[in-house]
Amino acid sequence: MQLENIAQNKVHDGWHKRYRHAASSTQCPMTFAIYLPPQASKDTPVPVVYWLSGLTCTDENFMQKAGAFKRAAELGIAIVAPDTSPRGEDVADDKDYDLGQGAGFYVNATQAPWNKHYNMYDYVVNELPELIETHFPVTQQRALAGHSMGGHGALVIGLTASERYSSVSAFSPIANPIACPWGQKAFSAYLGGAEEDWYQYDAVRLLSRASDILPMRIDQGLSDPFLDEQLGIEKLERALAPFNHKATVHRHAGYDHSYFFISSFIDAHLTFHADYFNR
């Protein structure tokens, strides 16, 4: 699979690079960014944290705003950030920010016109890791992290493809999308009107049927303007109660939904994942 390197920057003795490639799962060009720490080489491959971003984001938001490189370099962890949806002139879109391009919700769409390109679940779980592990000095140790819509994606993938990952973390996740306006709008379009078809992409619903989970860390700002209407953090806490030996929810007074919040606690998330890589 051919990769086109479209940007690169040296940072904390490692390399941040952006690539474009033709993706089979989404049937369109996709862009991703990777940070390779200074330890990464053919002789010393490193584990990977896959970061899933939120609504309206691209691969660039986390890499430019999160301030993650210093800790990733210290820990010897690569970070991969895919785009949040397929994009292009022939890719279905919507006039609103919360549907279409920039709002893939990490599902495999079943409804036209979305089902031609919007297969972000398959892209993140299967195609992207295969590409990364083929072309870069990384191991098959993988963890997931994400924010908002990406926090939803990280939790759902961690619950439905748990054998592929060692740990999961999320900032301000959309934890119960079948019960919030963002999720209902996206799922109606991508998956159709039958709510039972939505359950496979709802973390709270999946947890109600889970017998075990990966280690999880969730951080939530208490001044988040989306907390009450969109995120469902209290429902998530109740669903995680049977697994409190494996899951922690951290509430932070004064913090909002922005990358100011993420940058304040990203080091703790990377350290959390490093602990389970080392195990």
Side-chain angles (χ1 to χ4, degrees), residues 83-131:
D83 202 347
T84 54
S85 77
R87 297 182 194 267
E89 291 184 4
D90 63 338
V91 174
D93 199 9
D94 188 86
K95 61 181 176 60
D96 293 332
Y97 75 95
D98 52 359
L99 185 68
Q101 296 185 33
F105 269 86
Y106 306 101
V107 304
N108 286 338
T110 60
Q111 305 299 302
W114 312 101
N115 55 347
K116 180 178 179 181
H117 298 289
Y118 283 75
N119 294 301
M120 288 299 293
Y121 182 96
D122 280 351
Y123 179 72
V124 169
V125 174
N126 297 310
E127 184 171 1
L128 183 60
E130 181 180 354
L131 182 153

Side-chain angles (χ1 to χ4, degrees), residues 42-275:
K42 184 181 296 185
D43 294 329
T44 57
V46 297
V48 184
V49 171
Y50 287 84
W51 173 268
L52 307 182
S53 289
L55 288 166
T56 75
C57 290
T58 68
D59 64 284
E60 295 183 278
N61 296 72
F62 176 84
M63 293 302 200
Q64 294 182 6
K65 297 179 179 181
F69 300 140
K70 182 175 185 292
R71 188 62 178 144
E74 292 169 348
L75 294 169
I77 291 175
I79 302 172
V80 171
D83 202 347
T84 54
S85 77
R87 297 182 194 267
E89 291 184 4
D90 63 338
V91 174
D93 199 9
D94 188 86
K95 61 181 176 60
D96 293 332
Y97 75 95
D98 52 359
L99 185 68
Q101 296 185 33
F105 269 86
Y106 306 101
V107 304
N108 286 338
T110 60
Q111 305 299 302
W114 312 101
N115 55 347
K116 180 178 179 181
H117 298 289
Y118 283 75
N119 294 301
M120 288 299 293
Y121 182 96
D122 280 351
Y123 179 72
V124 169
V125 174
N126 297 310
E127 184 171 1
L128 183 60
E130 181 180 354
L131 182 153
I132 297 298
E133 290 161 18
T134 298
H135 291 276
F136 299 97
V138 301
T139 70
Q140 291 186 333
Q141 288 182 290
R142 314 177 193 101
L144 282 165
H147 170 233
S148 193
M149 178 185 73
H152 141 76
L155 293 177
V156 165
I157 292 170
L159 288 164
T160 56
S162 59
E163 72 282 356
R164 298 179 63 83
Y165 305 95
S166 59
S167 53
V168 179
S169 70
F171 290 87
S172 317
I174 305 172
N176 191 203
I178 66 173
C180 78
W182 278 339
Q184 290 167 346
K185 179 177 180 176
F187 287 6
S188 294
Y190 298 148
L191 305 173
E195 191 170 299
E196 59 268 24
D197 293 335
W198 305 359
Y199 294 163
Q200 64 185 309
Y201 298 113
D202 186 282
V204 168
R205 188 79 184 191
L206 290 167
L207 282 164
S208 71
R209 298 178 290 174
S211 58
D212 195 13
I213 64 169
L214 293 172
M216 290 186 180
R217 175 181 174 131
I218 294 94
D219 284 70
Q220 177 63 57
L222 297 183
S223 293
D224 190 322
F226 306 113
L227 179 58
D228 293 332
E229 184 179 25
Q230 301 283 10
L231 303 183
I233 194 69
E234 291 183 357
K235 294 178 183 177
L236 179 62
E237 284 186 297
R238 288 196 294 270
L240 285 170
F243 310 103
N244 59 13
H245 61 297
K246 281 194 170 182
T248 57
V249 178
H250 303 265
R251 292 169 173 260
H252 303 279
Y255 286 92
D256 57 21
H257 200 74
S258 71
Y259 269 87
F260 294 109
F261 173 44
I262 294 169
S263 67
S264 298
F265 299 99
I266 190 62
D267 284 6
H269 281 237
L270 293 174
T271 302
F272 168 79
H273 293 300
D275 183 41

